[in-house]
Structures are given as C-alpha cells and as structure tokens.
Amino acid sequence: MLRHAAERIALALPVLLGVVLVGFLLMQVVPTDPAIVRAGPNATIDIVEAIRRDLGLDQPLHVQFGLYMWRLVQGDLGVSIINNVPVSQELGATIGPTLELMFAALIWSIPLGIGMGTLSAYLRGSWLDRLIMAISVGGVSVPVFFVGLLLIWFVGFQWQWLPFTGRQGPLWTLQGLRGVALPAITLGGVFIGPVARMTRTAVLEVLSADHVRTARAKGLTETAVVLHHALRNALIPVVTLIGLQIGFLLGGAVVTETVFSWPGVGRLAVGAITSSDFPMAQGTIIVLSGGFIIVNLIVDLLYGVLDPRVRGA
Amino acid sequence: MSLLQVENLRTVFDTRQGAVVAVDGVDLSLAAGRTLAVVGESGCGKSALALSLMRLLAHPGRVAGGRVLLEDEDLLALSPAKMRARRGSRVAMVFQEPMTSLNPVHTVGAQIMEAMRAHDRSLSKSDLRDAAISALARVRIPSPERRFDDHPHRLSGGMRQRVMIAMALACQPRLLIADEPTTALDVTVQAQILDLLRDIQAETGMGLLLITHDLGVVAETADEVAVMYAGRVVERASATDLFADPQHPYTIGLLGSIPRMDLETPRLPTIEGSVPPPFAWPPGCRFAPRCAFADAACEVAPPPLAMLAPGHEVACIYAPVDA
Ligand SMILES: Nc1ncnc2c1ncn2[C@@H]1O[C@H](COP(=O)(O)OP(=O)(O)OP(=O)(O)O)[C@@H](O)[C@H]1O
Ligand SMILES: [Mg+2]
C-alpha cells in the first residue's frame, strides 16, 4: 500500500514538470512584455532594459527556464513583478480559503449527488427517477458563473439573506459559514449533476450482478440490497469518476472565486494572468495542478480502501 | 404430503420480438428429505424454472401462470414482502457461478451473518458470529474462524461454493434449490460438494431441487428425476426407473451420451442437433425434429405427460416403447 503510494507520487513528478514547462511556454506566447509591465507606463527605454536584465529576460529561453527550475527545486517561486511580494507568500495566504471553499462545496454536494443517483437507480423508470435525471442534466448544462450570478442577484442582493463578497471569517464561525454559503452552493451545485448520473449508472450496473441476486435470494429487503450491496460496490467506480471530475471542479473554483471575490488561488490566478504577473501566474498553475495530482492520489488510495481485491494485491 | 408442488408453471420473457416462453406448463413435486433432479440441455429453461420458484426472475422475465406450493402455501400468491421473508428462511438457492455469486467487497462472515440477520433481528453480534462460524464448519471449510474474515477473492471456486451453501443453509430452509452447483468446479471438488449436500440433507431432512445437465450427477444424488426439453417436462420417474427403463426418445438419447469409461475408445454418442430456442419451437412435439422415431402424428400438438406406471410419466405418443 505504502509502496503503491510512493510509486504514484514518483509518477506524478514528471507530470508536474510538464505542467511547469507548458505554463512557462504559455507565458512566452503572451504578447505582453513583463519588463514593460514592471517598469510602468512612464519608464524610459533604459529603465525597461535594466529591468529586463534584472529579471534575466535577456537570456535565451532555455537558460531562463533552467534558472526558473533551479530556483523552484529550492522552493523559490520568485516574486510578483507587480508588487514585489514573494509568490510563495501570496500562495500561502490563498490556499487556505480555496481548500475551505472546496471542502464546503464537496461536503454536501457529493453525498447529495450520491444519494440522488442511488434513489434514481432504486426507483428506476419512475417519474422521480426521470425528474432527478432531468435536474442533473440541466445542472450540468448551466455554466458556473451563471448560477453564481443568479444567487448573488436574488439571495444576496434582492433578498439580502447571505453575504456574497469575499470571505467573512473562519469556517467554524457563523459569520464564516454564512460567507462561504453562496460560493459553496454555486460550486457544489454544478457538481451534483455529474455525481448523481455517475452514481445511478454505477448502481444500476451492480444491481444486475450475480452477487446482488444472491443477496436477494437471502431474503434481504430491497433497501438493504441497494444500500449494502449495490451502492457499496458502486462506490468503487463512483470515487474514481469523481476523481476524474476534479479538474472540472478546479475550473469551477476559479470561476466561483472570481464571481464571489473569494480570496483563493483561483482568483489570484485570474488576477495574475490579467495583469501579466508571470511569476505569480506560474505559481498558481503549479499549485492548482499539484492539487489535481494530490486529489488523484487520494482517489487511488481510497480505491484500496473500498476494494479488498486491490488492497490484497 | 409433498414439500414442493409445482403446477402448470409458465415463465415468459417479454422481449422486443414478443413473449418468449422459457417454461411452458411444468409440473413437479418433491417430498421433504428427498432429491429431485431437473435435467436437460443448455437453454431448456432450467434456470428460468429455478428463478421462477424463488420469484427472482430479472426483467424482462415473469411468471405468467401456475402455482408453486411450498408446504401448501402458494409462493406466487404472496405479497412481495412475504415472499422476501420466505427467501433464505424457507426456500434458499445456490447458484451456478461461485466466482461471481458472492459480493467481492464484504467478508465471507459478514455475508453469512447478513443472511441470518435478515430473518432474525434479535440475534446479537456475537451470536451471529458464532452461528456463522459453525455454518462454515458445517460445510467443512477448514479453520472457519480464519475464513470468516476473508474476502471471497481469497477462496478457491470450491470453497466459495461451500460458502454459498453455508449461506443458503444458514436459516435452515425446508427447500434448497441448487442450480448447477458443481458445473463450474473440477471433478473431485464436484464430488465433495455433492457429498456435502447429501450429508446435510440426511441431517436436516430438507428437500433438494438439483438442477443439472449432468446425468452422472443425477445417478449419484437424485431420488426423482424430471427431464426437461424446450421448456417442458418430457419424462418424470424415480432415478432407478429412469436409468433402468427410459421411455422418452430424448431421455434415451441423453443416457446414450453419458461417457462410458469402461469402453476401450470412449465414444460419445450425442443427439444430433440442439435445443431449438423458444421462438423456433415446432407446433407439435418439440423434440420431433431431432427424434429418430418421429412421424407426422408427432407434429400435431405437444403430447401431454401420460402415466405409464405409478411414478413414471412420459410425454410421447409412442411410449411405452418395447425393449
Ligand atoms: N433475458 C432473457 N430474455 C429473453 N429470453 C431469455 C432470457 N433469459 C433466458 N431466456 C430464454 O429462456 C430459455 C431458457 O433459459 P435458461 O437460462 O433457463 O436455460 P438453462 O436450461 O438454465 O440453460 P443452461 O444450462 O445454459 O444454464 C432460453 O432458451 C433463452 O432463450
Ligand atoms: Mg442455467
């Protein structure tokens, strides 16, 4: 099990390296010149040139990348070219809120999605099944920002039920909970549909398995059959599929944070990219893709917990 | 009095091409403590019959008519909740595929305990554990305390089938339906499992409905035999009578196809052709197209079972044949 985890981490490293390289190259393609950004609108050519030299931008590309990597392995992500704040410091301050938002979004949406999907499978063919699936498909087709804007407009602005700008405090305070409510509903809401549909398919698949027939032959109630056999086994593919959807969720987080001015990595990334703050943008890309890799690792380990056949191997 | 009495059972599958009749008017009867073997080639409707008795047919299958009397109670007339309560406690079933019939994510012990708890909520956790371990011991699984915590994938096919039997017998059912319980196992294991079933039956006096396509198994275990062909029973007799004096041409053909070990070069005489699928059944005797004795009279209507001697019934217009 531990060896398995170590292997997965080792496999993830080249992926991360690739991400850094692609991020670096993307920054080169963008037509803005970081030196000019840094120098400001009134700088002379000489000052811009000096800054360019200072940032190492006069060097050939491979030297620049080598230098960047060399600092990176030492834990140095550079400083913002906008305000000179170390990138790692900004990331450190924004990772917490992003994790908080993710947690608040997933803690209700995954159980609800799994519950809806299971109910749908249990009542397959009924009007409730059709209703749940219609809602799920509808939920997938609505863009995240649209859900966010609707919630802001009605719940936040018109009815004034909940705050909708920024983080209000830590999650364990009432203020903090109220503050995270709308972003978490937005981000979690778009996740329910896919989870419900995946769960329904997986549960239906298991329901036709031989061992479910055995469970019925024992005289178990249909509820016990569905929960204890079909759902329990269906969790194996469902967890995998949820893991695969995490990229989708990270994208949603970037949008949600921007819409709700949530002080997280996603909003930092958008800000850095729009202001051509290259080191900062690069840092957020590393953190977001690192998060993606970590989630997949967790899914992999969960797989072992859920499936005894994997555990034994 | 018989333990199980099946009367005119009909099972159909509602497919897109129309209703497929898999079991067409089957009558069976089985006394407590006895073994009734249902034999027939693949596709003749044996599994459909067994699942109909348990009311476990999966969509699109359904029982279209008849009665299934278990100790004089018609299972087909019970509410779903009452039928659920009978499954496992009064009538239990062992399936053909030991590799897939156990849930891979639960331990063997948990699956047996679950079967017992489904019918007796008052049992404590430690009672359940003890009972499950003795159920494993009863089917002669070595070191049952250790196997209790194993997941099915750690057990061999034969061991899994023993677990299936332990689970089926956990609540002392009056009737055990075993659908080809040994087909997936190798010969030695097969013999052990059949021995086990026989011993347990002697101990508990339960009735055993044994489904098989293997006449060797029938000879070894059955008291009574029903030979099925294309959804119908074509011959019913005690095992002794059936082997000594088979009457239906299909039975005669089947008996001819048992491999003879005592012959120098084992010949395998088989019946030409195969069981026609339900939509291709001829209007008359369904065996007629493969039958050496068939003539125009056989193509009129499916012959009903007719009594030849007490306890020996045949569905053939030319029976009895003179030896
Ligand atoms: N889901 C289904 N849909 C349509 N027809 C079916 C279905 N399941 C079974 N049948 C039909 O019912 C008939 C009987 O099938 P059944 O599985 O009972 O045969 P069997 O005697 O158990 O065969 P085997 O020895 O291979 O297990 C088959 O001819 C098949 O065409
Ligand atoms: Mg079968």
Side-chain angles (χ1 to χ4, degrees), chain B residues 181-297:
Chain B
T182 58
T183 304
L185 307 174
D186 66 51
V187 185
T188 29
V189 181
Q190 192 169 330
Q192 291 166 0
I193 297 280
L194 292 175
D195 274 348
L196 176 71
L197 284 173
R198 208 173 10 218
D199 292 352
I200 288 173
Q201 187 182 33
E203 221 173 277
T204 61
M206 69 175 183
L208 175 62
L209 182 75
L210 182 70
I211 291 175
T212 177
H213 59 245
D214 183 343
L215 281 165
V217 170
V218 176
E220 224 167 293
T221 46
D223 301 306
E224 315 282 332
V225 188
V227 180
M228 263 184 95
Y229 188 81
R232 294 175 72 96
V233 173
V234 295
E235 184 159 5
R236 276 168 74 178
S238 70
T240 340
D241 285 353
L242 191 92
F243 284 100
D245 185 23
Q247 287 295 328
H248 197 281
Y250 177 61
T251 315
I252 296 169
L254 275 184
L255 287 175
S257 64
I258 302 182
R260 291 278 303 272
M261 291 309 186
D262 52 343
L263 292 182
E264 278 272 315
T265 43
R267 272 183 313 130
L268 296 175
T270 48
I271 311 171
E272 291 286 308
S274 58
V275 190
F279 54 84
W281 285 345
C285 174
R286 284 168 194 168
F287 186 60
R290 295 167 75 187
C291 181
F293 309 99
D295 59 23

Side-chain angles (χ1 to χ4, degrees), chain B residues 84-104:
Chain B
R84 180 199 67 71
R86 301 293 178 272
R87 286 190 203 112
S89 69
R90 301 279 289 283
V91 49
M93 185 159 173
V94 174
F95 299 94
Q96 177 174 352
E97 309 82 7
M99 304 318 266
T100 54
S101 291
L102 290 165
N103 190 329

Side-chain angles (χ1 to χ4, degrees), chain B residues 13 15 20-22 40-49 58-61 96 179-180 213 276-278:
Chain B
F13 289 91
T15 65
V20 169
V21 184
E41 285 166 285
S42 189
C44 71
K46 304 181 298 290
S47 295
L49 168 68
H59 185 80
Q96 177 174 352
D179 186 0
E180 312 214 22
H213 59 245

